[in-house]
Structure formats: structure tokens, C-alpha cells
Amino acid sequence: MLVSWFMVVSLVLASCAPAEEEEVVVVPGEEEEEVPVEEEVAPPEKEMIRDSLGRLVEKPKYGGVFVYCASTPIRGFDEANTMSYQAYANKFTNEELITGDWTKGPTGTNEISWLAGDFALDAEIGGVAESWEILDEKTVRFHIRKGIHFALNPASEASQLLGSRELNAHDVAYSLRRHFLTPGCYMQAVHTAEEQKGWDAWAEDDWTVIHQWNPELARVIFEYSDFCAIVAEEVIEKYGDMRDWRVSHGTGPFMLVDHVEGSCTTFVRNPDYWRKHPLYPEDTMPYLDGIKYLIIPDLSTRLSAMRTGKIDYLALEWEDAQSLIATNPEIKYFEYPTSSRAISMRMDDPAMPWHDKRVRYALSFALDQQAILDTLYGGRGMILSAPVVPWAEFMDMYTPLEELPKSTQELYEYHPDKAKQLLAEAGYPDGFSCKVVTYADYVDEVSIIKDYWEKIGVDLEIDVREFAVWTGITQRKKQEEMVYPGSSGVGSQPAKFSNFYSVGYLNYSLVDDPRCKEAIEALDKLGWDYYEEYPKILKDLFPYILGECWSVLMPGRYTYKFWQPWVQDYSGEGSVGYYNGVNWINYVWMDEDLKYEMTGRR
């Protein structure tokens, strides 16, 4: 470029010279004309600071638009009418009473993975509530922060109605009541009418909220305090609900300014947001100018966009992850184990073959776990990651395979001859036929199980349904015999133990076991001591559950999160707090200079 520039300059100077002088054309590489070399300028030194943990780090910069990509559309914008964990937009635009502590995650002290979306009381900090106090066995008082204002969003009709009104305790109490009492809402779906008795929330004055439940469920007050988006009553009174994105309003770090169904949702920075970054208390969140939430159903298109730097984040299974690592080694990634998938068998019908424990053991002995791990997941995983997944916050209730009773360890070894022997002892010397209901995503995995079971005489029919149909069947417990993927345990939700081993909606094996019921009853009686005591109870119970083999487990696979090198202060977090979706984007910053250097784009 320098040579070309000097050529142009020389030509221009020559054209401006007197006519009688001979025109001289400079040819690159001619010895007669030396081309000066521009002095190389060293890149500016990175500005370093100490974060709130005392670490020397690069000072974050403001600016940039984070491009997130998902395969399925945002389900809705109103948590009272959409499952809260599916209302992803609200995690950017609205706030909750309490929230997860970013400093305790992988980017901080790594005390918690922030992968689960589960509730961890010792990792929660104030959100809209600056503090709280437990008044008695069933009551909590929350003290609401002053100085938090609803965002002035020019694209929102609701925002025009509200202006920049200050949020108060009445907004909080109204939001809680709406979240609990709207017909068909999540709270009514997961709690029986009997359980809902005794619940209430009200504003004691402009800055304090009383939240109350019966003693057995009072602890859940905290869970839903990090689950319920705060909205304004006058907006709901005027518009009825928030299903239309144009009614979006909140006090969160971003404002929703555009939504094209099934294509793209656009958020811009809330310039009046109040919160300081937990790692950089001198800086107000967020650092980003905005977020583009793209919907790209096709995986190959998502991969191409990641390879070319057109999106900033992508989650993948191992096959596509290995391909991306090979083609783009500069992209950062995080590999972690996920819960073992399982084929669950109905345990409520004594006529079923697997009601005999020997049959269940035979079905497990028939699977070559190591071969499945190597072929299906490329060796990227672990033989056992259930009933709870071995993440940092759950290790005090996880028992490694090698520490389980020998009889349970054998369930994850390959013993086809022993499987045939057990079937014969149970009265099935020639095997039997059975059926599993699944959906398209898992046909390959179920086919592997089918092939292994055929070797011991068990003929598995695969009933493939549309996902919506499969969901309807399993939620109503209408499966004829087996379900895949079924209940592998509590996975990443140990606090939801009762959902898997009682009348819970994830109890696909329809287990009605006295020891599990006893544990559930003990958990319900813990009250405020629940979060301290439940790991001890489950640590003791989980080996028993594995030994009962109500579900035949597959190996636990690794999964992957990828992000571009210019995405800073990110280490693979997911939901920061209880079911908060992709709210980790609120905390990161973009190195726009690095992005320009690598892609030519900002």
C-alpha cells in the first residue's frame, strides 16, 4: 500500500511539473528510487486495573453490540403467561428482587458454575431489594432500593405511559401477586391448590414488601424472588398483559426496541440503569451498547456465522464442537459434563417385566457404556453423571462411580452373559418385547439401545412422535411403557428432587418408593434450614436410587459453549441466579479493537 501511495504521489507531482521536464515514473523495486518505510507504531499499552477481587485485569471498555444466536424463537414477553425461563427477553429488560452473584461464578471465585439455573441461597445478592430479613418461620420482609427508575424506551408504548417513574414496593408486591395468581401461570402449574394456601405478598409501605407462605414452603419465597420480573401495575391495567413486545417495560440494563418474529430481537443499552458492575464497582452496567438476539434454526448456518465472526456465542454438542475447534482454534470454549440421559420404565404396573429388579439390571448390563461413550460422544464425557451432575456447587452430594457399592458399579460395565442369566431367572429366557416413546432428536441414541438389547433377546419398538406430542404424552404420564429421554435423576436441579421421585412432572418412571417419599417429607420439614441440610440428605439417598435402577442410564456427554476472542470477562456461565436464561450477557464487555483487527468489523 505504501509503494502504491508513493507511486500515486510521484505521478501527481510529475503531472504538476513544468511541461519541458521529463516525466519520471517510479516503478516499484527500482534501485534508483528508495521507498521510505513508515516507522512501526507499537500498539497502545492495555490499561490495567484491580477488580473487586484484587486481581490485576484489563480495564473493561464500553461499546459494541453482542450478537447472540438461538435455534428457537423467544416464547413470549410476559412471565405470567409464558414460562419464566422461556421469557428470555425479560432477563435483559426487567429485574427481580434478588439475583445471582456474578463474582462467585467462573469469572470470579469459581464457587458456583452458574450452569444449572438452580437456586443457591449462599450465592444470591440483592437486586431490586437491597436487603431482607426473615421475620418468622413463614415471613420475609424485603427492603426495596430507592433511586431505581423505569427505562425511558422510545419504542415502547408502556414506557411512554410510565415515563421514568421510580420503582417502589407497590410495583414489587403487584408483580409477585400477578406472578402467583394469574390463571395458568407457572406457579399454579407447579404447586397444587393445597400448597398455594397461605401465600401472599403486600407492600407494607412504599419501600418494604412482606412475602409470606406456609412454613413448609416459606423457603421458596427466596427462589421466586429471583424468578419474578418486576412490572408496573398501570401498564397491565391499560394493556391487559405484556404479550405484545411493544408493551415491554422495566428497570433492567437493556431496552427492547424491535422484534421481528422468528428472526431478530434488538435491545439497546438503558442509559439510566442504576447498577454497578460487581467486579468493577466504579463502572455502571452494562458495557454493551446493545444485543442482537438472532433466530437461526439451521445448525450449519449457525456454525458458518460463528466461524466468520458474525455471531459472538454458540452452544454445541461434541461432534460440531470438534469441527469448530479444528477450523477456528482462536475461538474460546468451555467443556463441561451434562446429566446422563436415560430410558425410563413405568414402575406403577406390576405386570411389566422390569417391575422385577433383575430385569432392570439385565437391561443395564446389556449396554456397553464405554463403547457408547467412545462412538456416540467421541469419548468426550463420563460414564456416570447422575442422579446429580458433578458441577462445583453439587459436589457435596455427588458420589463418583468408583465410590459406589460394587453391585452398582457393575451396572455401568458390559455383562451381556450376566444379562441373559438374569432375564432367565426372572422368567424371560427368550427375552420380551417393549416400546419406547421418543422424538426425532433422539432416534439415533435409542437405536443404539435397541441394538444392544436385541443381543439379549429384548425387542425394543421405537415410537417416534412430534416433540409437542411427546411432551403431551409424558406430562400426562400417558406413555405405554418407556420414555426417552427419561428421568436420569435430578441432574442439575437437586432442589427439585421431588419432581423426579414422587408425583412430580418429571417422574417418568412413576416411582412411588417409600424411602424417596421419606426423604421428600424430611426435606419439606426443613423450613429455612433446607438449603443447608438437603445436600446431606441427597448425598445419602442417591446411591440407593442408582442401585434401584428405575431408569437405564446412558453415559453423560460433554457439551460446549463457544465465544469469540473479543468477548471479555466471560468463562462459560449460563443462568446467573435462578432460571435467568442468558442474563450473563449483561456482565460481559467487547474488545472492539480486537474484533476489528480480526474481522475488519466493529
Side-chain angles (χ1 to χ4, degrees):
M1 291 177 63
L2 284 171
V3 171
S4 301
W5 183 81
F6 279 108
M7 287 177 63
V8 173
V9 170
S10 299
L11 290 170
V12 172
L13 291 174
S15 66
C16 296
E20 65 270 20
E21 293 185 11
E22 182 180 355
E23 183 177 23
V24 178
V25 178
V26 178
V27 179
E30 286 187 347
E31 295 181 0
E32 292 79 9
E33 185 79 14
E34 289 189 6
V35 179
V37 178
E38 184 176 324
E39 183 179 351
E40 187 173 327
V41 178
E45 291 287 335
K46 293 181 178 179
E47 185 179 355
M48 309 298 287
I49 60 171
R50 296 280 179 185
D51 66 13
S52 62
L53 300 177
R55 303 172 300 185
L56 188 63
V57 296
E58 183 178 358
K59 180 177 175 58
K61 302 180 183 69
Y62 286 91
V65 174
F66 190 98
V67 183
Y68 181 86
C69 178
S71 60
T72 55
I74 292 174
R75 302 290 185 185
F77 303 99
D78 189 343
E79 290 183 2
N81 296 284
T82 303
M83 289 295 187
S84 296
Y85 59 86
Q86 295 178 328
Y88 303 118
N90 296 48
K91 308 309 177 183
F92 304 133
T93 59
N94 293 76
E95 294 184 281
E96 298 152 341
L97 273 166
I98 60 177
T99 189
D101 186 349
W102 178 258
T103 68
K104 291 189 175 182
T107 302
T109 58
N110 205 27
E111 299 169 59
I112 187 169
S113 70
W114 286 138
L115 292 170
D118 202 28
F119 187 82
L121 183 59
D122 59 354
E124 295 286 332
I125 59 174
V128 165
E130 63 179 355
S131 64
W132 55 86
E133 52 191 313
I134 298 174
L135 301 182
D136 55 41
E137 62 180 1
K138 64 179 182 178
T139 312
V140 179
R141 176 187 285 129
F142 290 95
H143 298 275
I144 308 306
R145 295 180 193 272
K146 297 180 180 179
I148 299 178
H149 294 262
F150 286 98
L152 273 174
N153 180 0
S156 167
E157 297 175 10
S159 184
Q160 306 309 308
L161 172 68
L162 281 174
S164 59
R165 177 173 71 73
E166 188 175 14
L167 177 144
N168 58 48
H170 303 284
D171 297 309
V172 173
Y174 173 79
S175 300
L176 288 169
R177 292 184 64 80
R178 182 171 182 265
H179 195 75
F180 272 69
L181 301 178
T182 300
C185 69
Y186 175 82
M187 288 301 304
Q188 294 191 5
V190 299
H191 292 289
T192 65
E194 184 64 27
E195 287 177 330
Q196 292 174 48
K197 290 180 179 179
W199 178 90
D200 204 355
W202 65 90
E204 194 174 41
D205 56 39
D206 288 347
W207 304 108
T208 55
V209 171
I210 299 295
H211 201 174
Q212 192 172 78
W213 212 343
N214 65 67
E216 289 187 358
L217 289 170
R219 58 173 178 81
V220 183
I221 286 173
F222 279 119
E223 292 184 10
Y224 294 119
S225 299
D226 189 6
F227 194 57
C228 173
I230 308 304
V231 298
E233 181 175 4
E234 59 262 46
V235 171
I236 307 304
E237 285 184 347
K238 178 172 181 179
Y239 296 99
D241 54 47
M242 288 171 44
R243 299 185 199 209
D244 188 333
W245 71 270
R246 297 171 186 83
V247 183
S248 172
H249 67 287
T251 62
F254 293 95
M255 302 181 294
L256 173 56
V257 296
D258 190 43
H259 174 68
V260 179
E261 183 65 31
S263 177
C264 178
T265 306
T266 304
F267 305 85
V268 299
R269 185 178 191 270
N270 174 6
D272 300 317
Y273 188 52
W274 63 274
R275 190 179 176 198
K276 300 294 185 180
H277 195 287
L279 285 175
Y280 310 102
E282 299 298 318
D283 293 349
T284 303
M285 293 174 62
Y287 291 108
L288 301 172
D289 287 336
I291 301 168
K292 287 281 187 182
Y293 195 108
L294 303 182
I295 307 302
I296 304 178
D298 181 63
L299 175 58
S300 61
T301 304
R302 297 198 301 274
L303 277 166
S304 176
M306 192 70 188
R307 287 191 173 102
T308 55
K310 293 179 180 177
I311 61 175
D312 295 313
Y313 170 89
L314 189 61
L316 292 170
E317 298 293 342
W318 84 267
E319 283 185 332
D320 298 303
Q322 301 311 307
S323 171
L324 186 57
I325 291 169
T327 59
N328 294 73
E330 76 284 359
I331 294 179
K332 298 180 181 181
Y333 70 92
F334 176 57
E335 174 189 75
Y336 60 99
T338 54
S339 183
S340 300
R341 295 191 183 116
I343 188 164
S344 290
M345 304 160 282
R346 290 192 71 133
M347 297 302 302
D348 62 333
D349 186 351
M352 298 290 184
W354 44 85
H355 203 268
D356 189 318
K357 188 175 181 178
R358 291 171 295 185
V359 173
R360 303 199 297 273
Y361 269 49
L363 296 177
S364 187
F365 286 153
L367 300 183
D368 189 337
Q369 297 278 346
Q370 190 61 55
I372 294 172
L373 178 62
D374 292 340
T375 56
L376 188 60
Y377 304 134
R380 307 308 299 166
M382 55 196 305
I383 296 298
L384 180 65
S385 58
V388 65
V389 67
W391 294 342
E393 57 268 42
F394 304 143
M395 290 308 294
D396 56 353
M397 64 187 91
Y398 173 77
T399 301
L401 180 60
E402 61 272 15
E403 296 179 14
L404 290 168
K406 181 60 178 175
S407 60
T408 304
Q409 292 184 40
E410 287 183 344
L411 288 170
Y412 306 99
E413 300 170 0
Y414 188 40
H415 298 293
D417 292 338
K418 198 169 184 177
K420 292 178 182 178
Q421 178 185 341
L422 286 175
L423 287 179
E425 292 175 3
Y428 302 96
D430 299 321
F432 56 85
S433 298
C434 52
K435 180 190 288 188
V436 61
V437 61
T438 187
Y439 53 99
D441 290 2
Y442 296 109
V443 170
D444 289 345
E445 293 181 22
V446 178
S447 296
I448 290 174
I449 297 173
K450 176 182 174 65
D451 291 343
Y452 274 111
W453 284 1
E454 281 181 356
K455 296 174 184 178
I456 63 168
V458 175
D459 180 22
L460 179 65
E461 178 187 345
I462 303 175
D463 182 8
V464 184
R465 302 296 186 97
E466 294 291 331
F467 175 70
V469 176
W470 179 89
T471 300
I473 291 172
T474 56
Q475 293 302 301
R476 298 194 310 273
K477 307 297 186 297
K478 296 297 183 181
Q479 64 270 24
E480 294 179 39
E481 298 178 352
M482 298 180 175
V483 171
Y484 192 91
S487 305
S488 62
V490 298
S492 61
Q493 298 177 309
K496 301 294 181 294
F497 168 73
S498 61
N499 281 336
F500 296 83
Y501 300 108
S502 67
V503 295
Y505 68 100
L506 293 176
N507 183 12
Y508 298 141
S509 293
L510 284 83
V511 173
D512 186 16
D513 179 77
R515 185 166 173 182
C516 287
K517 291 177 74 172
E518 180 183 340
I520 291 166
E521 290 171 0
L523 291 171
D524 287 342
K525 293 176 182 177
L526 288 173
W528 294 116
D529 295 328
Y530 178 88
Y531 294 102
E532 181 179 349
E533 297 296 327
Y534 87 82
K536 303 172 187 176
I537 294 175
L538 298 187
K539 172 76 172 180
D540 179 63
L541 185 66
F542 285 162
Y544 166 76
I545 289 173
L546 289 172
E548 289 300 306
C549 195
W550 294 310
S551 295
V552 176
L553 301 179
M554 292 281 273
R557 75 216 178 279
Y558 288 159
T559 192
Y560 298 80
K561 295 171 180 276
F562 288 87
W563 61 97
Q564 299 292 359
W566 50 82
V567 177
Q568 301 296 316
D569 270 354
Y570 181 62
S571 307
E573 292 89 344
S575 169
V576 184
Y578 188 55
Y579 278 123
N580 283 332
V582 291
N583 70 331
W584 55 266
I585 299 176
N586 297 338
Y587 298 86
V588 305
W589 61 278
M590 303 272 276
D591 188 336
E592 288 285 274
D593 294 334
L594 178 59
K595 181 178 180 180
Y596 183 77
E597 179 184 324
M598 296 182 70
T599 68
R601 302 188 304 273
R602 291 189 184 275

